[in-house]
Amino acid sequence: MGGGWMNSGGGDDDSKVRGGYKNQTLRPVTIKQLVEVPITTGDMPVHIDGEEIKQIKFVGIVRNIVQQSVN
């Protein structure tokens, strides 16, 4: 009777595609890659490096703040 974690064989299997899960992975891209994406019309998918992009989330860091007066 040991404690801890046991692999029951019911975990994730990379060879299975469940509901398109593999197509929804998080992938870092640069701003340059986003700017260079050709503009599409209608329901044409957007592709970066041959992969279809479904969502884009911008994450950034504020490194400096300069206060200015508004006239």
Side-chain angles (χ1 to χ4, degrees), residues 1-6:
M1 178 183 266
W5 180 79
M6 280 183 49

Side-chain angles (χ1 to χ4, degrees), residues 21-29 53 55-57 59:
Y21 177 74
K22 281 192 166 190
N23 294 330
Q24 297 179 12
T25 58
L26 182 62
R27 180 175 180 260
V29 296
I53 305 300
Q55 287 186 2
I56 296 174
K57 180 184 266 190
V59 178

Side-chain angles (χ1 to χ4, degrees), residues 62-69:
V62 177
R63 295 185 186 253
N64 190 17
I65 297 175
V66 177
Q67 293 185 350
Q68 297 179 341
S69 63

Side-chain angles (χ1 to χ4, degrees), residues 4-23:
W5 180 79
M6 280 183 49
N7 186 0
S8 63
D12 291 339
D13 183 356
D14 285 341
S15 65
K16 295 178 184 175
V17 177
R18 292 175 284 153
Y21 177 74
K22 281 192 166 190
N23 294 330

